[in-house]
Amino acid sequence: MADPKLEKETRAEEDRRKEAAEKAVEVADEAEADAGKKEKKGQEEDAREWGRPVRVYADGIYDLFHFGHARSLEQAKKSFPNTYLLVGCCNDEVTHKFKGKTVMTDTERYESLRHCKWVDEVIPDAPWVITKEFLDEHKIDYVAHDSLPYADASGAGNDVYEFVKAIGKFKETKRTEGISTSDIIMRIVKDYNQYVTRNLARGYTRKDLGVSYMKEKRLRVNMEFEKLYDKVKQHQEKVGKKLGLLHDEWVENADRWVAGFLEKFEEGCHQMGTVIKERIQESLQPRGFSLLQYEEE
C-alpha cells in the first residue's frame, strides 16, 4: 500500500518543478520581448539618425506570384516605420540552373512584382548569392527573408544568407503555411485531365497544351459522354419533379376525387338500372305485363 505522506510530498515536488518551469518560460518571454523592443527602438533611432527611409532588400523567384509571396513582402515593408523595399528576382538562366524550371518567364515574374503594392523597386537579374558589393551598389541596409537555409552556388550546402546574417543585417520574415508555388503546381498536376479538358473546350489546341493526338481524342470523347450524362440527368430530374408534383396533387385531392368518383359511379349505376327496366318493360308490353307495376305491388 502506497504511503499517503510520500505521495503528498511527491505531488508537492512536482508542483514546485512545474511552477519553476513556468517562471523560467515567463522570464525568457519577457527577456525576448525586451530584446525585441530594444532592437525595434534601435532600428527606429537608426532611421531617424539616417534621416531617410531604411532600404530593405528581399529576393526570390516569385513564380506563380501568390498571397504567400505578398505577405512576406508586406512583412519586409513593415520592418521599419519608414521603409523603401527593393525586391530582387533571379532571371531564368540562374533559376533554371540552381532551382529548376519555372512556369512563368523572368519577364512575367518581374511584372507580377511591380504590381504588388508593397514593392517600391524591382531589381531584375538578381544574384543567387548576396555579396557585400551588391549591398553597397544598391545601398541596402537590411535583407529580409524567412529563416530557412538556402543552398548557395558552391555545392557545399552553405546558406545563401550566411554573409548577411553574420554582419547582423538579416531581418526574418514568416512563411505563410498552406500556400506555395509547388503546392499550386501539384494541384494542377493532380487535376491535369480536367485542366486539359477545360482548355480544349475553350479553344486551345492539343499542341498548345502539349498533349498527344490520341489523348486529345480520348478527352473529347469523355467530354461528349459528360454532356450526354448531364442531359440524361436533367431529363431524369424533370421527370422526377413532374411525378413528384402529380403525387403531391393526388395526396392533396384524393378524398375529393374518390368521393366524386363514387358519386358518379352511383349515379351511373342508377341510370343504367333505369334503362334496363325500361327495356324490359318495352319487351313485356304486348303481353300486358309491367315490371314497374310488379315492383309497386
Side-chain angles (χ1 to χ4, degrees):
M1 186 175 181
D3 187 351
K5 184 177 180 181
L6 182 60
E7 288 183 353
K8 185 176 180 180
E9 291 177 354
T10 302
R11 286 196 297 269
E13 180 64 23
E14 290 177 352
D15 290 342
R16 282 194 295 272
R17 289 179 180 176
K18 184 177 180 181
E19 184 178 351
E22 292 175 350
K23 184 67 176 176
V25 171
E26 184 179 345
V27 171
D29 289 342
E30 289 178 356
E32 184 177 353
D34 289 341
K37 289 178 181 178
K38 289 179 181 178
E39 181 183 3
K40 184 175 181 181
K41 184 178 180 181
Q43 293 169 354
E44 291 175 353
E45 289 176 354
D46 287 344
R48 284 196 295 270
E49 182 181 346
W50 295 334
R52 59 171 177 78
V54 179
R55 294 173 68 83
V56 177
Y57 175 77
D59 63 351
I61 307 304
Y62 302 107
D63 193 19
L64 295 178
F65 190 82
H66 51 74
F67 68 88
H69 293 138
R71 284 183 175 179
S72 67
L73 295 177
E74 178 184 5
Q75 293 175 58
K77 177 69 174 178
K78 293 180 178 179
S79 297
F80 299 91
N82 187 10
T83 301
Y84 185 84
L85 181 61
L86 305 96
V87 180
C89 186
C90 301
N91 59 34
D92 286 345
E93 182 181 356
V94 172
T95 303
H96 297 169
K97 180 179 179 181
F98 295 113
K99 188 168 184 178
K101 183 72 174 176
T102 57
V103 176
M104 301 169 67
T105 65
D106 47 17
T107 303
E108 292 170 334
R109 292 184 281 116
Y110 301 155
E111 194 63 19
S112 296
L113 286 166
R114 290 191 181 98
H115 285 78
C116 179
K117 70 177 183 178
W118 308 112
V119 179
D120 295 304
E121 181 181 338
V122 174
I123 300 178
D125 303 318
W128 189 258
V129 180
I130 299 172
T131 62
K132 183 179 185 303
E133 290 74 21
F134 181 79
L135 296 179
D136 293 342
E137 178 185 354
H138 295 280
K139 299 180 176 57
I140 295 169
D141 300 310
Y142 291 92
V143 175
H145 205 277
D146 62 74
S147 60
L148 292 177
Y150 287 79
D152 63 12
S154 66
N158 298 323
D159 187 4
V160 170
Y161 303 101
E162 184 176 352
F163 162 71
V164 181
K165 291 175 180 177
I167 62 176
K169 290 193 173 185
F170 185 80
K171 292 290 294 179
E172 180 183 348
T173 58
K174 301 295 182 182
R175 294 174 66 90
T176 301
E177 296 297 329
I179 183 67
S180 68
T181 300
S182 298
D183 179 55
I184 294 173
I185 293 173
M186 286 305 299
R187 294 181 200 175
I188 296 172
V189 171
K190 181 181 176 182
D191 299 322
Y192 174 71
N193 283 343
Q194 293 183 16
Y195 169 80
V196 174
T197 300
R198 184 170 67 247
N199 285 283
L200 284 173
R202 290 175 177 173
Y204 286 89
T205 66
R206 66 177 183 84
K207 291 183 179 180
D208 294 332
L209 300 170
V211 298
S212 66
Y213 173 83
M214 292 302 297
K215 186 172 185 65
E216 179 198 9
K217 295 305 178 185
R218 188 163 58 249
L219 291 174
R220 289 195 182 278
V221 169
N222 289 339
M223 289 166 62
E224 294 303 320
F225 271 119
E226 287 179 3
K227 290 179 182 177
L228 180 60
Y229 173 78
D230 289 339
K231 288 182 179 179
V232 172
K233 188 177 180 181
Q234 290 174 7
H235 180 69
Q236 289 176 337
E237 290 175 352
K238 288 180 180 179
V239 171
K241 187 176 181 181
K242 188 173 182 180
L243 290 174
L245 291 173
L246 291 174
H247 176 267
D248 295 341
E249 188 177 0
W250 164 253
V251 171
E252 183 179 350
N253 299 288
D255 292 341
R256 180 168 57 83
W257 286 348
V258 170
F261 171 76
L262 292 175
E263 183 179 344
K264 292 290 184 183
F265 182 77
E266 183 180 359
E267 181 181 348
C269 288
H270 178 72
Q271 292 176 354
M272 186 181 296
T274 303
V275 171
I276 292 172
K277 290 176 184 179
E278 290 177 351
R279 293 289 176 88
I280 294 174
Q281 178 67 33
E282 291 175 357
S283 63
L284 295 177
Q285 277 181 0
R287 299 177 184 180
F289 180 80
S290 173
L291 181 62
L292 294 175
Q293 181 182 359
Y294 173 79
E295 286 186 348
E296 291 174 357
E297 292 176 356

